[in-house]
Amino acid sequence: MALIGTDILKAAAILKQNALVAIPTETVYGLAGNALNADAVTKIFETKNRPSFDPLIVHIHQIDEVTKYTPQFHPTLAKLAEAFWPGPLTVLVPRREIIPDLVCSGLPQVALRVPAHPLTLALLKSIDFPLAAPSANPFGYISPTMPQHVAAQLGDKIDYILDGGPCRVGIESSIVGMEDDELCMYRLGGISKEEIEQVAGQQVLIKSQVQEKVLAPGQLSSHYAPDKKMILGDIAYWLANTDPKEVGILSFSKIYDEVEESRQIQLSVKEDLREAAQNLFAALRILDNMPVTTILAEPLPDIGLGRAINDRLKRAAVGKAD
Ligand code: TXA
Ligand code: MG
């Protein structure tokens, strides 16, 4: 079983041997390995059971390191990185050869980000390589926002989980890139479209619709999915059409009288989208472990962070691919 602790030296020692460590970030926990070492990267794919066509984000310590991994940092992306790093923003840039093919699934670009967590920043500073880290969950399942979530699912496959407490943001980073001079967003996440547009001074083209043909493989429709059947819609309508004893509820703030309170989770009683994002994945896990057959969830207001939350809810409701 993996040890859970706050020993950065231990984490660094394991990583230097090209083995894996789970690391905290402000978004979700990552399953980290040396991004410049093909063996370590292979272990990440194996441990997560992740298809090799789904590329990994490379975590760096500070913005100055970007040019080591790309010959070309578009000024708009540089501006965004200046504004939001360390933070939940990932930029797609052309990659240099030092990054193994496997990290990028053979794609021409590499995804880079500086995470905003003091433990992980200290860890990155103490080693001389960047860390490839996908979310530390089995492929397709709900992302972990607490060390215990990682231990429950990958605990028998890794040696160490660096304990940074619960994740402050709770959903993954927003992924942006340039197509000519067009600023595109490939994954909705911790920084909203509105915030990005304001800093960039240009419109963002969203390229991450759930139904659309996949552009980035991690954008598979079914993702972040509980094992239970999940329905996303008008909860009151679905309650009238299902047995209330069989369901668990995930609402923004409401309580539904038809269902026992212990089977209901409110993402934010005061309807705060940040708080809702923070609670989302842990709530899905709790509901997935309740003695119910179906999870009923409702979409949140489709603005700011609400858009990223709704994206995760939609993918969770599509269900597992297998
Ligand atoms: O918040 C986050 O970004 C977390 C924490 C751990 O940093 N990481 C994360 O990684 O969410 P992951 O593996 O679950 O999502 C990575 C996604 C891929 O599925 C893909 O959509 C995109 O990032 N991506 C990564 N590298 C890419 C590349 N070279 N080209 C295109 N898309 C890429
Ligand atoms: Mg993931």
Side-chain angles (χ1 to χ4, degrees):
M1 241 352 232
L3 277 176
I4 302 181
T6 54
D7 187 346
I8 291 171
L9 291 177
K10 186 181 171 76
I14 295 171
L15 290 165
K16 281 177 196 160
Q17 289 169 359
N18 296 322
L20 310 183
V21 172
I23 56 165
T25 81
E26 78 284 24
T27 58
V28 301
Y29 275 75
L31 179 64
N34 180 349
L36 305 183
N37 181 276
D39 276 351
V41 175
T42 302
K43 282 180 198 157
I44 296 177
F45 282 98
E46 285 171 358
T47 306
K48 266 196 73 126
N49 211 358
R50 180 179 177 115
S52 60
F53 59 72
D54 193 0
L56 309 176
I57 294 173
V58 174
H59 298 72
I60 56 177
H61 171 237
Q62 55 185 18
I63 193 166
D64 300 1
E65 285 186 278
V66 168
T67 48
K68 286 195 214 163
Y69 308 113
T70 183
Q72 205 186 317
F73 199 14
H74 193 286
T76 303
L77 297 181
K79 206 193 222 179
L80 290 170
E82 284 284 356
F84 296 116
W85 282 355
L89 181 83
T90 294
V91 299
L92 281 178
V93 290
R95 76 169 147 129
R96 289 195 196 275
E97 272 186 16
I98 184 173
I99 303 281
D101 260 4
L102 195 56
V103 172
C104 304
S105 305
L107 295 167
Q109 294 186 306
V110 59
L112 299 175
R113 112 172 171 95
V114 178
H117 194 291
L119 270 187
T120 290
L121 284 176
L123 174 64
L124 282 167
K125 197 175 176 181
S126 75
I127 53 185
D128 60 0
F129 49 85
L131 292 175
S135 49
N137 52 278
F139 183 69
Y141 194 66
I142 304 162
S143 303
T145 54
M146 310 224 265
Q148 293 75 17
H149 294 162
V150 182
Q153 292 187 301
L154 300 179
D156 55 347
K157 297 191 174 145
I158 56 175
D159 293 329
Y160 200 58
I161 300 169
L162 197 56
D163 184 355
C167 299
R168 178 170 56 78
V169 175
I171 47 176
E172 294 83 350
S173 58
S174 300
I175 303 179
V176 295
M178 301 301 299
E179 292 183 19
D180 298 321
D181 276 325
E182 194 128 58
L183 176 56
C184 303
M185 201 165 168
Y186 301 101
R187 180 171 72 184
L188 301 169
I191 308 266
S192 69
K193 172 176 182 273
E194 291 87 337
E195 290 172 289
I196 291 171
E197 285 179 336
Q198 206 190 3
V199 170
Q202 74 184 87
Q203 294 238 311
V204 167
L205 201 65
I206 294 187
K207 296 213 162 181
S208 74
Q209 299 313 319
V210 175
Q211 301 84 352
E212 238 175 52
K213 206 170 165 296
V214 282
L215 207 142
Q219 295 298 302
L220 295 170
S221 286
S222 160
H223 222 83
Y224 317 102
D227 292 326
K228 295 256 156 73
K229 174 177 170 193
M230 180 166 143
I231 295 172
L232 180 65
D234 177 353
I235 292 178
Y237 168 84
W238 284 102
L239 273 179
N241 291 282
T242 12
D243 178 358
K245 285 192 213 63
E246 294 282 305
V247 303
I249 287 185
L250 183 65
S251 79
F252 192 15
S253 63
K254 253 191 254 157
I255 286 281
Y256 291 82
D257 293 338
E258 299 89 325
V259 176
E260 213 180 280
E261 259 193 66
S262 65
R263 282 189 275 115
Q264 306 196 42
I265 299 183
Q266 300 148 281
L267 285 175
S268 172
V269 178
K270 52 178 194 280
E271 304 207 335
D272 174 74
L273 290 170
R274 279 183 195 281
E275 185 181 41
Q278 240 168 41
N279 291 334
L280 178 68
F281 288 142
L284 280 174
R285 276 172 192 262
I286 295 170
L287 286 160
D288 206 20
N289 289 309
M290 272 184 196
V292 298
T293 56
T294 309
I295 301 167
L296 299 184
E298 63 188 4
L300 272 49
D302 215 31
I303 43 155
L305 265 187
R307 245 188 242 121
I309 298 171
N310 288 337
D311 170 88
R312 302 303 186 273
L313 287 170
K314 280 184 216 159
R315 291 177 209 274
V318 170
K320 286 247 193 296
D322 60 358

